[in-house]
Amino acid sequence: MKPGKVYLIGAGPGDVELLTLKAVRRLGLADVVLIDDLANDEVLQFVPKHAEVVRVGKRGGCASVAQADIEARLLTEARAGRCVARVKGGDPFVFGRGGEEMQALLAAGIAVEVVNGITAGLAVPATLGIPLTHRDHVHGVTFVSGHTHQGDEPDWAALAKSGMTLVIYMGMSRLGLITEQLQQGLPADTPAAAIQYGTRPEQREVVGTLATLSADVAAAGLGSPALVVVGPTVGLARPPARSAHSIEKEFA
């Protein structure tokens, strides 16, 4: 039997309208879909009715299917000749472990196609009008994970001195420590924001400074999944734009 193919698909940060055309077309080919919790279920409207949908978790701090088991399931389905859509929130190659899955599949001789998605680090700050780069303020951006692996810890002091906008994924559980460490290289009044459920209707955000952000987040009851943005352009933040649904209703 000829092996099937696996598509590693980025579903974007949450708003289904940010799904790419290529992702929609590849979802339409699927026999089996393995979908993460952070991917919006609305993307499943583009999957054929006959396709099997398998939920594999993958949400920080919650029970989820082990990575080895996900990779084993991908191999099993592809070896059975099926077309498999592996759907991840954001982009599969930005803190999505897509690289690990691609390596496992290629090592087994399975064809893989990567379908990029809009990562939260790009889309979520934009909901508040926060540019990640700006000629008058900052000339670069760094994406970094606040979730340590086997004791690995980013050099927060060095990142603070980099002069870049910092976009921190998976940092909410360690926010107090992170903001304290960043103050070794940045002023306490550096603008900072935490944005939960970015691009979704239930989005909530707190905008403050490095000195106040952790306490403000706790007072507001924000939690994961959320993105933290630090840098001078956070000071340009404004109320989030209205959703497409509200705009359609206004002009209906």
Side-chain angles (χ1 to χ4, degrees):
M1 177 181 292
K2 183 179 178 180
K5 184 172 183 177
V6 176
Y7 295 101
L8 300 177
I9 299 174
D15 181 351
V16 72
E17 292 186 340
L18 294 177
L19 195 67
T20 67
L21 286 173
K22 179 174 280 191
V24 169
R25 290 171 179 151
R26 299 302 185 268
L27 286 168
L29 302 174
D31 298 309
V32 182
V33 179
L34 274 67
I35 186 169
D36 282 351
D37 280 351
L38 289 177
N40 190 341
D41 269 4
E42 289 186 49
V43 305
L44 296 176
Q45 67 186 284
F46 304 111
V47 170
K49 294 187 184 300
H50 73 267
E52 179 185 2
V53 176
V54 182
R55 300 183 185 278
V56 293
K58 291 299 177 190
R59 179 188 293 267
C62 299
S64 60
V65 179
Q67 184 65 30
D69 292 337
I70 293 173
E71 293 171 12
R73 181 67 181 265
L74 291 172
L75 291 170
T76 297
E77 299 294 350
R79 285 169 173 157
R82 300 185 180 96
C83 179
V84 185
R86 172 71 176 103
V87 181
K88 301 168 174 288
D91 182 276
F93 276 8
V94 180
F95 304 121
R97 305 189 75 168
E100 298 171 40
E101 293 173 9
M102 179 187 69
Q103 288 179 293
L105 292 161
L106 291 177
I110 304 298
V112 183
E113 180 179 330
V114 178
V115 182
N116 295 111
I118 298 176
T119 184
L122 295 176
V124 172
T127 65
L128 299 183
I130 299 172
L132 298 181
T133 63
H134 191 296
R135 289 195 305 171
D136 297 332
H137 299 285
V138 65
H139 303 289
V141 57
T142 298
F143 295 156
V144 62
S145 172
H147 176 73
T148 60
H149 177 63
Q150 295 181 346
D152 293 340
E153 178 76 20
D155 188 339
W156 296 111
L159 287 169
K161 296 173 183 176
S162 69
M164 304 288 185
T165 301
L166 301 180
V167 179
I168 304 167
Y169 294 67
M170 299 173 284
M172 292 296 277
S173 65
R174 307 176 70 246
L175 185 59
L177 173 65
I178 291 170
T179 54
E180 181 181 337
Q181 296 265 336
L182 288 175
Q183 288 179 69
Q184 295 181 32
L186 284 169
D189 62 355
T190 300
I195 310 161
Q196 183 181 28
Y197 293 119
T199 79
R200 293 177 178 250
E202 63 268 35
Q203 175 174 321
R204 301 175 64 213
E205 62 278 329
V206 166
V207 179
T209 68
L210 275 179
T212 67
L213 188 65
S214 181
D216 291 344
V217 162
L222 264 64
S224 298
L227 199 75
V228 176
V229 189
V230 178
T233 58
V234 177
L236 304 177
R238 53 180 172 77
R242 294 167 298 167
S243 69
H245 298 297
S246 66
I247 294 172
E248 289 169 2
K249 183 177 179 181
E250 179 177 336
F251 288 96

PDB file of all heavy atoms in Angstrom, residues 22-46:
ATOM      1  N   LYS A  22      -4.522  28.297   1.613  1.00  0.00           N
ATOM      2  CA  LYS A  22      -3.858  27.001   1.461  1.00  0.00           C
ATOM      3  C   LYS A  22      -4.302  26.044   2.561  1.00  0.00           C
ATOM      4  O   LYS A  22      -4.549  24.849   2.301  1.00  0.00           O
ATOM      5  CB  LYS A  22      -2.336  27.170   1.493  1.00  0.00           C
ATOM      6  CG  LYS A  22      -1.591  25.845   1.367  1.00  0.00           C
ATOM      7  CD  LYS A  22      -0.092  26.037   1.261  1.00  0.00           C
ATOM      8  CE  LYS A  22       0.296  26.408  -0.150  1.00  0.00           C
ATOM      9  NZ  LYS A  22       1.769  26.346  -0.341  1.00  0.00           N
ATOM     10  N   ALA A  23      -4.429  26.549   3.792  1.00  0.00           N
ATOM     11  CA  ALA A  23      -4.885  25.690   4.884  1.00  0.00           C
ATOM     12  C   ALA A  23      -6.293  25.169   4.619  1.00  0.00           C
ATOM     13  O   ALA A  23      -6.585  23.990   4.843  1.00  0.00           O
ATOM     14  CB  ALA A  23      -4.843  26.460   6.203  1.00  0.00           C
ATOM     15  N   VAL A  24      -7.175  26.037   4.147  1.00  0.00           N
ATOM     16  CA  VAL A  24      -8.545  25.611   3.842  1.00  0.00           C
ATOM     17  C   VAL A  24      -8.536  24.501   2.800  1.00  0.00           C
ATOM     18  O   VAL A  24      -9.237  23.481   2.933  1.00  0.00           O
ATOM     19  CB  VAL A  24      -9.378  26.811   3.353  1.00  0.00           C
ATOM     20  CG1 VAL A  24     -10.724  26.346   2.784  1.00  0.00           C
ATOM     21  CG2 VAL A  24      -9.604  27.803   4.481  1.00  0.00           C
ATOM     22  N   ARG A  25      -7.732  24.661   1.768  1.00  0.00           N
ATOM     23  CA  ARG A  25      -7.698  23.665   0.694  1.00  0.00           C
ATOM     24  C   ARG A  25      -7.111  22.347   1.168  1.00  0.00           C
ATOM     25  O   ARG A  25      -7.596  21.277   0.794  1.00  0.00           O
ATOM     26  CB  ARG A  25      -6.901  24.226  -0.488  1.00  0.00           C
ATOM     27  CG  ARG A  25      -7.645  25.362  -1.196  1.00  0.00           C
ATOM     28  CD  ARG A  25      -6.783  26.058  -2.210  1.00  0.00           C
ATOM     29  NE  ARG A  25      -7.546  27.120  -2.887  1.00  0.00           N
ATOM     30  CZ  ARG A  25      -7.028  28.222  -3.384  1.00  0.00           C
ATOM     31  NH1 ARG A  25      -5.726  28.436  -3.280  1.00  0.00           N
ATOM     32  NH2 ARG A  25      -7.786  29.111  -3.993  1.00  0.00           N
ATOM     33  N   ARG A  26      -6.095  22.395   1.999  1.00  0.00           N
ATOM     34  CA  ARG A  26      -5.500  21.146   2.493  1.00  0.00           C
ATOM     35  C   ARG A  26      -6.426  20.451   3.493  1.00  0.00           C
ATOM     36  O   ARG A  26      -6.501  19.220   3.526  1.00  0.00           O
ATOM     37  CB  ARG A  26      -4.134  21.426   3.130  1.00  0.00           C
ATOM     38  CG  ARG A  26      -3.103  22.016   2.173  1.00  0.00           C
ATOM     39  CD  ARG A  26      -2.852  21.126   0.972  1.00  0.00           C
ATOM     40  NE  ARG A  26      -1.777  21.656   0.144  1.00  0.00           N
ATOM     41  CZ  ARG A  26      -1.944  22.465  -0.886  1.00  0.00           C
ATOM     42  NH1 ARG A  26      -3.174  22.858  -1.225  1.00  0.00           N
ATOM     43  NH2 ARG A  26      -0.915  22.882  -1.605  1.00  0.00           N
ATOM     44  N   LEU A  27      -7.129  21.212   4.304  1.00  0.00           N
ATOM     45  CA  LEU A  27      -8.112  20.597   5.211  1.00  0.00           C
ATOM     46  C   LEU A  27      -9.166  19.839   4.420  1.00  0.00           C
ATOM     47  O   LEU A  27      -9.658  18.794   4.868  1.00  0.00           O
ATOM     48  CB  LEU A  27      -8.771  21.676   6.070  1.00  0.00           C
ATOM     49  CG  LEU A  27      -7.916  22.262   7.197  1.00  0.00           C
ATOM     50  CD1 LEU A  27      -8.581  23.509   7.773  1.00  0.00           C
ATOM     51  CD2 LEU A  27      -7.693  21.233   8.310  1.00  0.00           C
ATOM     52  N   GLY A  28      -9.507  20.340   3.256  1.00  0.00           N
ATOM     53  CA  GLY A  28     -10.518  19.689   2.425  1.00  0.00           C
ATOM     54  C   GLY A  28     -10.086  18.358   1.854  1.00  0.00           C
ATOM     55  O   GLY A  28     -10.916  17.615   1.316  1.00  0.00           O
ATOM     56  N   LEU A  29      -8.795  18.020   1.984  1.00  0.00           N
ATOM     57  CA  LEU A  29      -8.282  16.745   1.480  1.00  0.00           C
ATOM     58  C   LEU A  29      -8.221  15.666   2.557  1.00  0.00           C
ATOM     59  O   LEU A  29      -7.955  14.506   2.253  1.00  0.00           O
ATOM     60  CB  LEU A  29      -6.867  16.944   0.919  1.00  0.00           C
ATOM     61  CG  LEU A  29      -6.698  17.970  -0.210  1.00  0.00           C
ATOM     62  CD1 LEU A  29      -5.210  18.128  -0.540  1.00  0.00           C
ATOM     63  CD2 LEU A  29      -7.479  17.553  -1.442  1.00  0.00           C
ATOM     64  N   ALA A  30      -8.468  16.045   3.802  1.00  0.00           N
ATOM     65  CA  ALA A  30      -8.142  15.167   4.933  1.00  0.00           C
ATOM     66  C   ALA A  30      -9.084  13.974   5.075  1.00  0.00           C
ATOM     67  O   ALA A  30     -10.298  14.089   4.921  1.00  0.00           O
ATOM     68  CB  ALA A  30      -8.153  15.978   6.225  1.00  0.00           C
ATOM     69  N   ASP A  31      -8.484  12.844   5.408  1.00  0.00           N
ATOM     70  CA  ASP A  31      -9.233  11.665   5.869  1.00  0.00           C
ATOM     71  C   ASP A  31      -9.257  11.617   7.393  1.00  0.00           C
ATOM     72  O   ASP A  31     -10.211  11.111   7.989  1.00  0.00           O
ATOM     73  CB  ASP A  31      -8.579  10.380   5.346  1.00  0.00           C
ATOM     74  CG  ASP A  31      -8.559  10.295   3.836  1.00  0.00           C
ATOM     75  OD1 ASP A  31      -9.621  10.492   3.214  1.00  0.00           O
ATOM     76  OD2 ASP A  31      -7.467  10.073   3.274  1.00  0.00           O
ATOM     77  N   VAL A  32      -8.188  12.118   7.999  1.00  0.00           N
ATOM     78  CA  VAL A  32      -8.052  12.140   9.452  1.00  0.00           C
ATOM     79  C   VAL A  32      -7.503  13.511   9.843  1.00  0.00           C
ATOM     80  O   VAL A  32      -6.606  14.039   9.179  1.00  0.00           O
ATOM     81  CB  VAL A  32      -7.087  11.045   9.969  1.00  0.00           C
ATOM     82  CG1 VAL A  32      -7.015  11.067  11.492  1.00  0.00           C
ATOM     83  CG2 VAL A  32      -7.514   9.681   9.470  1.00  0.00           C
ATOM     84  N   VAL A  33      -8.027  14.070  10.941  1.00  0.00           N
ATOM     85  CA  VAL A  33      -7.559  15.353  11.447  1.00  0.00           C
ATOM     86  C   VAL A  33      -7.130  15.177  12.896  1.00  0.00           C
ATOM     87  O   VAL A  33      -7.918  14.718  13.727  1.00  0.00           O
ATOM     88  CB  VAL A  33      -8.666  16.427  11.373  1.00  0.00           C
ATOM     89  CG1 VAL A  33      -8.158  17.761  11.930  1.00  0.00           C
ATOM     90  CG2 VAL A  33      -9.168  16.590   9.948  1.00  0.00           C
ATOM     91  N   LEU A  34      -5.892  15.519  13.200  1.00  0.00           N
ATOM     92  CA  LEU A  34      -5.414  15.564  14.584  1.00  0.00           C
ATOM     93  C   LEU A  34      -5.308  17.034  14.962  1.00  0.00           C
ATOM     94  O   LEU A  34      -4.464  17.757  14.418  1.00  0.00           O
ATOM     95  CB  LEU A  34      -4.050  14.878  14.721  1.00  0.00           C
ATOM     96  CG  LEU A  34      -4.056  13.356  14.944  1.00  0.00           C
ATOM     97  CD1 LEU A  34      -4.581  12.636  13.708  1.00  0.00           C
ATOM     98  CD2 LEU A  34      -2.665  12.851  15.286  1.00  0.00           C
ATOM     99  N   ILE A  35      -6.141  17.489  15.893  1.00  0.00           N
ATOM    100  CA  ILE A  35      -6.246  18.914  16.179  1.00  0.00           C
ATOM    101  C   ILE A  35      -5.911  19.222  17.631  1.00  0.00           C
ATOM    102  O   ILE A  35      -6.330  18.504  18.552  1.00  0.00           O
ATOM    103  CB  ILE A  35      -7.660  19.437  15.813  1.00  0.00           C
ATOM    104  CG1 ILE A  35      -7.731  20.966  15.968  1.00  0.00           C
ATOM    105  CG2 ILE A  35      -8.745  18.732  16.605  1.00  0.00           C
ATOM    106  CD1 ILE A  35      -8.998  21.574  15.382  1.00  0.00           C
ATOM    107  N   ASP A  36      -5.143  20.290  17.825  1.00  0.00           N
ATOM    108  CA  ASP A  36      -4.779  20.748  19.167  1.00  0.00           C
ATOM    109  C   ASP A  36      -5.912  21.569  19.778  1.00  0.00           C
ATOM    110  O   ASP A  36      -6.723  22.163  19.062  1.00  0.00           O
ATOM    111  CB  ASP A  36      -3.526  21.618  19.114  1.00  0.00           C
ATOM    112  CG  ASP A  36      -2.244  20.816  18.963  1.00  0.00           C
ATOM    113  OD1 ASP A  36      -2.307  19.583  19.075  1.00  0.00           O
ATOM    114  OD2 ASP A  36      -1.194  21.429  18.729  1.00  0.00           O
ATOM    115  N   ASP A  37      -5.902  21.671  21.106  1.00  0.00           N
ATOM    116  CA  ASP A  37      -6.916  22.465  21.809  1.00  0.00           C
ATOM    117  C   ASP A  37      -6.851  23.937  21.447  1.00  0.00           C
ATOM    118  O   ASP A  37      -7.868  24.628  21.437  1.00  0.00           O
ATOM    119  CB  ASP A  37      -6.740  22.323  23.327  1.00  0.00           C
ATOM    120  CG  ASP A  37      -7.350  21.036  23.852  1.00  0.00           C
ATOM    121  OD1 ASP A  37      -8.046  20.351  23.090  1.00  0.00           O
ATOM    122  OD2 ASP A  37      -7.116  20.722  25.034  1.00  0.00           O
ATOM    123  N   LEU A  38      -5.655  24.447  21.185  1.00  0.00           N
ATOM    124  CA  LEU A  38      -5.508  25.873  20.923  1.00  0.00           C
ATOM    125  C   LEU A  38      -5.968  26.273  19.521  1.00  0.00           C
ATOM    126  O   LEU A  38      -6.074  27.454  19.230  1.00  0.00           O
ATOM    127  CB  LEU A  38      -4.052  26.303  21.128  1.00  0.00           C
ATOM    128  CG  LEU A  38      -3.584  26.326  22.579  1.00  0.00           C
ATOM    129  CD1 LEU A  38      -2.110  26.700  22.658  1.00  0.00           C
ATOM    130  CD2 LEU A  38      -4.411  27.284  23.415  1.00  0.00           C
ATOM    131  N   ALA A  39      -6.237  25.313  18.673  1.00  0.00           N
ATOM    132  CA  ALA A  39      -6.791  25.615  17.363  1.00  0.00           C
ATOM    133  C   ALA A  39      -8.306  25.783  17.487  1.00  0.00           C
ATOM    134  O   ALA A  39      -8.975  25.013  18.181  1.00  0.00           O
ATOM    135  CB  ALA A  39      -6.460  24.507  16.378  1.00  0.00           C
ATOM    136  N   ASN A  40      -8.832  26.791  16.828  1.00  0.00           N
ATOM    137  CA  ASN A  40     -10.271  27.062  16.878  1.00  0.00           C
ATOM    138  C   ASN A  40     -11.050  25.951  16.163  1.00  0.00           C
ATOM    139  O   ASN A  40     -10.764  25.615  15.011  1.00  0.00           O
ATOM    140  CB  ASN A  40     -10.541  28.411  16.199  1.00  0.00           C
ATOM    141  CG  ASN A  40     -11.970  28.894  16.408  1.00  0.00           C
ATOM    142  OD1 ASN A  40     -12.864  28.127  16.733  1.00  0.00           O
ATOM    143  ND2 ASN A  40     -12.177  30.179  16.199  1.00  0.00           N
ATOM    144  N   ASP A  41     -12.040  25.385  16.851  1.00  0.00           N
ATOM    145  CA  ASP A  41     -12.853  24.324  16.260  1.00  0.00           C
ATOM    146  C   ASP A  41     -13.565  24.759  14.980  1.00  0.00           C
ATOM    147  O   ASP A  41     -13.976  23.912  14.183  1.00  0.00           O
ATOM    148  CB  ASP A  41     -13.904  23.837  17.264  1.00  0.00           C
ATOM    149  CG  ASP A  41     -13.400  22.677  18.111  1.00  0.00           C
ATOM    150  OD1 ASP A  41     -12.210  22.315  17.968  1.00  0.00           O
ATOM    151  OD2 ASP A  41     -14.190  22.136  18.895  1.00  0.00           O
ATOM    152  N   GLU A  42     -13.706  26.075  14.776  1.00  0.00           N
ATOM    153  CA  GLU A  42     -14.378  26.539  13.562  1.00  0.00           C
ATOM    154  C   GLU A  42     -13.639  26.132  12.294  1.00  0.00           C
ATOM    155  O   GLU A  42     -14.225  26.089  11.211  1.00  0.00           O
ATOM    156  CB  GLU A  42     -14.553  28.057  13.597  1.00  0.00           C
ATOM    157  CG  GLU A  42     -15.584  28.553  14.609  1.00  0.00           C
ATOM    158  CD  GLU A  42     -15.802  30.050  14.491  1.00  0.00           C
ATOM    159  OE1 GLU A  42     -16.014  30.535  13.365  1.00  0.00           O
ATOM    160  OE2 GLU A  42     -15.751  30.736  15.530  1.00  0.00           O
ATOM    161  N   VAL A  43     -12.349  25.811  12.410  1.00  0.00           N
ATOM    162  CA  VAL A  43     -11.618  25.389  11.219  1.00  0.00           C
ATOM    163  C   VAL A  43     -12.120  24.043  10.710  1.00  0.00           C
ATOM    164  O   VAL A  43     -11.915  23.699   9.540  1.00  0.00           O
ATOM    165  CB  VAL A  43     -10.103  25.314  11.476  1.00  0.00           C
ATOM    166  CG1 VAL A  43      -9.575  26.634  12.009  1.00  0.00           C
ATOM    167  CG2 VAL A  43      -9.727  24.175  12.415  1.00  0.00           C
ATOM    168  N   LEU A  44     -12.809  23.296  11.562  1.00  0.00           N
ATOM    169  CA  LEU A  44     -13.296  21.975  11.157  1.00  0.00           C
ATOM    170  C   LEU A  44     -14.425  22.051  10.139  1.00  0.00           C
ATOM    171  O   LEU A  44     -14.777  21.037   9.530  1.00  0.00           O
ATOM    172  CB  LEU A  44     -13.746  21.185  12.388  1.00  0.00           C
ATOM    173  CG  LEU A  44     -12.637  20.863  13.404  1.00  0.00           C
ATOM    174  CD1 LEU A  44     -13.216  20.175  14.628  1.00  0.00           C
ATOM    175  CD2 LEU A  44     -11.551  20.001  12.764  1.00  0.00           C
ATOM    176  N   GLN A  45     -14.983  23.235   9.934  1.00  0.00           N
ATOM    177  CA  GLN A  45     -16.021  23.378   8.902  1.00  0.00           C
ATOM    178  C   GLN A  45     -15.457  23.129   7.508  1.00  0.00           C
ATOM    179  O   GLN A  45     -16.218  22.870   6.570  1.00  0.00           O
ATOM    180  CB  GLN A  45     -16.632  24.779   8.958  1.00  0.00           C
ATOM    181  CG  GLN A  45     -15.682  25.905   8.580  1.00  0.00           C
ATOM    182  CD  GLN A  45     -16.266  27.287   8.776  1.00  0.00           C
ATOM    183  OE1 GLN A  45     -17.086  27.734   7.980  1.00  0.00           O
ATOM    184  NE2 GLN A  45     -15.838  27.970   9.842  1.00  0.00           N
ATOM    185  N   PHE A  46     -14.145  23.170   7.360  1.00  0.00           N
ATOM    186  CA  PHE A  46     -13.521  22.978   6.057  1.00  0.00           C
ATOM    187  C   PHE A  46     -13.063  21.535   5.830  1.00  0.00           C
ATOM    188  O   PHE A  46     -12.454  21.234   4.807  1.00  0.00           O
ATOM    189  CB  PHE A  46     -12.335  23.932   5.905  1.00  0.00           C
ATOM    190  CG  PHE A  46     -12.707  25.380   6.094  1.00  0.00           C
ATOM    191  CD1 PHE A  46     -12.260  26.092   7.204  1.00  0.00           C
ATOM    192  CD2 PHE A  46     -13.534  26.015   5.182  1.00  0.00           C
ATOM    193  CE1 PHE A  46     -12.607  27.416   7.387  1.00  0.00           C
ATOM    194  CE2 PHE A  46     -13.895  27.346   5.360  1.00  0.00           C
ATOM    195  CZ  PHE A  46     -13.439  28.046   6.465  1.00  0.00           C
TER     196      PHE A  46
END
